[in-house]
Amino acid sequence: MIRKIVKIDREKCNGCGACASACHEGAIGMVGGKAVLLRDDYCDGLGACLPSCPTGAISFEEREAAAFDESAVKANLERARSHISPPCGCPGTHARRIGRAEHAQSESQPSSLRQWPVQIKLVPARAAYLDGADLLVAADCTAYAYGAFHRDFIEGRTVLVGCPKLDACDYAEKLAAVLAENDIKSLTVVRMEVPCCGGIESAALRALAASGKTIPHRVVIVTVDGRIKD
């Protein structure tokens, strides 16, 4: 059938992943660092992704395309949720607190991490360590670029990390659940200065709006040479 569907200009795409996060049907994913339309029948043609694109890489076109299939979309999203929370009960994803006091004297530079897991996709929305937490949402690369990351950002906070360019999922849904279902005291977002990292900031701020709560928040940008950007 001929219908309206999104079109992505690969040359204009900067790989930020904001469109993939904005697409609630899972029609857009990141492949090779660029946004792509994964399946025609996942795209409803409404264009929720258009305003999220900072480079104007997304537009509409009318062409031969499979009809929008809501049941296929639901099945795909269900599979994605199953991947986020593995039904096998893998012990590596078990939510737990980490005690450091017993190791502190033997470590020259002890870790400030106090919980596990840390990946946004793996953290349960109702983990015990989230209630009453000062929440840190950080892009993966920030801990490598900024040498004092543990001291300045992890200390005293519960940590969630991710990369919007590499993870083909919408962090906003999980983060909104975390913010809505727990007594979060504050939200700090730390991202890199590169454009693709804007996706994690966008997801966090959209999640905050969706939670319906007023939570003190700030965004910190780290430069690629390891400085805090003014």
Side-chain angles (χ1 to χ4, degrees):
M1 64 181 296
I2 302 294
R3 70 181 184 95
K4 186 170 69 174
I5 196 167
V6 300
K7 178 181 180 180
I8 303 172
D9 187 330
R10 189 175 178 84
E11 295 302 316
K12 290 183 179 179
C13 176
N14 67 1
C16 72
C19 58
S21 297
C23 180
H24 299 300
E25 289 74 34
I28 298 176
M30 305 304 295
V31 178
K34 297 285 187 175
V36 297
L37 181 62
L38 299 175
R39 280 179 46 165
D40 289 357
D41 59 345
Y42 288 174
C43 178
D44 60 10
L46 298 179
C49 54
L50 267 70
S52 69
C53 180
T55 65
I58 302 178
S59 59
F60 280 122
E61 65 175 342
E62 288 196 5
R63 63 171 174 82
E64 182 72 32
F68 174 63
D69 188 338
E70 187 174 359
S71 62
V73 168
K74 288 182 178 178
N76 180 54
L77 295 177
E78 196 59 42
R79 285 193 297 271
R81 292 189 190 99
S82 297
H83 177 70
I84 290 170
S85 301
C88 61
C90 171
T93 64
H94 177 63
R96 57 189 182 275
R97 298 180 189 272
I98 299 174
R100 293 288 182 185
E102 64 273 24
H103 304 300
Q105 292 183 351
S106 62
E107 295 178 356
S108 58
Q109 189 171 337
S111 170
S112 295
L113 187 65
R114 294 294 185 273
Q115 111 276 342
W116 188 263
V118 297
Q119 286 289 335
I120 296 172
K121 295 195 299 181
L122 298 178
V123 170
R126 285 290 297 168
Y129 52 70
L130 288 167
D131 205 36
D134 289 297
L135 189 65
L136 170 66
V137 176
D140 288 347
C141 296
T142 53
Y144 296 95
Y146 187 67
F149 192 82
H150 277 245
R151 182 196 67 197
D152 292 352
F153 294 112
I154 296 183
E155 183 66 40
R157 295 188 177 95
T158 294
V159 187
L160 304 183
V161 302
C163 177
K165 189 169 183 177
L166 300 180
D167 290 338
C169 65
D170 186 1
Y171 291 144
E173 182 179 355
K174 169 64 76 64
L175 293 176
V178 168
L179 295 173
E181 297 177 27
N182 300 278
D183 180 22
I184 301 298
K185 301 299 185 184
S186 68
L187 171 64
T188 299
V189 180
V190 183
R191 51 160 290 195
M192 297 298 296
E193 65 176 336
V194 295
C196 61
C197 225
I200 201 161
E201 176 183 349
S202 172
L205 296 182
R206 285 187 290 116
L208 182 57
S211 74
K213 293 184 176 181
T214 301
I215 299 173
H217 63 279
R218 63 173 178 144
V219 176
V220 179
I221 299 177
V222 178
T223 65
V224 293
D225 60 352
R227 296 176 292 106
I228 300 297
K229 190 173 183 180
D230 295 332

